[in-house]
Amino acid sequence: MKHRSVRALFLFGISCLFAVVFAAPAFAHDSLKKSTPAANAVVSDLGEIELEFSAHVSFPVIVLHDAAGRRFEAGTPRVNDSTVTQAVAGPLPPGSYTIAWRVVSSDGHPIEGEIPFVVGSSSAASAGDTAPAASSVAAADRPDQETGTPGWIWAVVAAVAVLGAAAVLVARGRKAPTPPLPDDVEDRPSGPENGERE
């Protein structure tokens, strides 16, 4: 009976491990699917920024700044399910710009990133803003940053702990039991009544 319970626990641990491994992608953080303007795009004007994510997000923060650090966002960003929009203050002068965004994904972890783009012709922007544009492009190539420990890591740790406990129980179950004493030894009384000499 004991071996059956140990085997069942071991199989349960294996099932948990497989479930965690195949379900790990489901614990991945949300990501930015599309943006307006797109990364490294050249636009003639911009009245509104739109960011579309893979799932519902909350607590958005969007900053629009040029190469000199001047900010051009107007008001607070608005969230509509998985889409975040941010109004832009006035017509943007020609040059290089960067959209810095930060949201809380549906799993509760914050994610952030940057989107560089150019207003006007690309040649005019590169004439005075070559270095900032290069740094912005490098920032755009960087994957979205995230903070905190992903939930699937904790699930893997829990599954490993279950497997470890199951392995210990299996090892204990394989120990050879102590053989019982012979019946004649257990039943034989000790002392002078049995003819023993002191």
Side-chain angles (χ1 to χ4, degrees):
M1 187 70 179
K2 181 179 179 181
H3 291 291
R4 290 182 180 178
S5 62
V6 170
R7 183 179 301 174
L9 182 60
F10 183 75
L11 292 177
F12 174 74
I14 292 291
S15 301
C16 288
L17 181 60
F18 274 103
V20 167
V21 169
F22 289 107
F27 290 97
H29 298 321
D30 302 329
S31 60
L32 180 64
K33 291 175 58 179
K34 187 176 67 172
S35 67
T36 304
N40 303 317
V42 178
V43 298
S44 59
D45 192 16
L46 182 66
E48 187 178 69
I49 298 168
E50 184 175 285
L51 307 178
E52 182 181 344
F53 294 88
S54 58
H56 175 75
V57 295
S58 55
F59 305 107
V61 176
I62 296 179
V63 174
L64 172 62
H65 63 87
D66 62 6
R70 293 174 297 183
R71 295 175 58 169
F72 293 90
E73 70 273 8
T76 58
R78 304 179 304 276
V79 180
N80 183 11
D81 193 24
S82 60
T83 303
V84 178
T85 56
Q86 170 69 61
V88 176
L92 299 178
S96 297
Y97 293 83
T98 300
I99 301 168
W101 59 266
R102 180 182 176 90
V103 297
V104 175
S105 62
S106 58
D107 64 357
H109 288 83
I111 55 175
E112 60 186 17
E114 292 183 347
I115 304 169
F117 69 97
V118 173
V119 173
S121 64
S122 57
S123 58
S126 61
D129 301 322
T130 304
S135 63
S136 299
V137 171
D141 294 337
R142 179 181 59 197
D144 297 344
Q145 298 175 355
E146 58 191 40
T147 59
T149 303
W152 67 268
I153 291 182
W154 295 115
V156 170
V157 170
V160 171
V162 170
L163 287 178
V168 170
L169 291 176
V170 169
R172 287 183 180 177
R174 289 181 178 175
K175 288 184 178 178
T178 305
L181 295 173
D183 294 338
D184 57 345
V185 175
E186 291 180 346
D187 298 335
R188 185 177 64 186
S190 60
E193 296 87 356
N194 198 32
E196 296 181 358
R197 296 180 181 178
E198 296 181 356

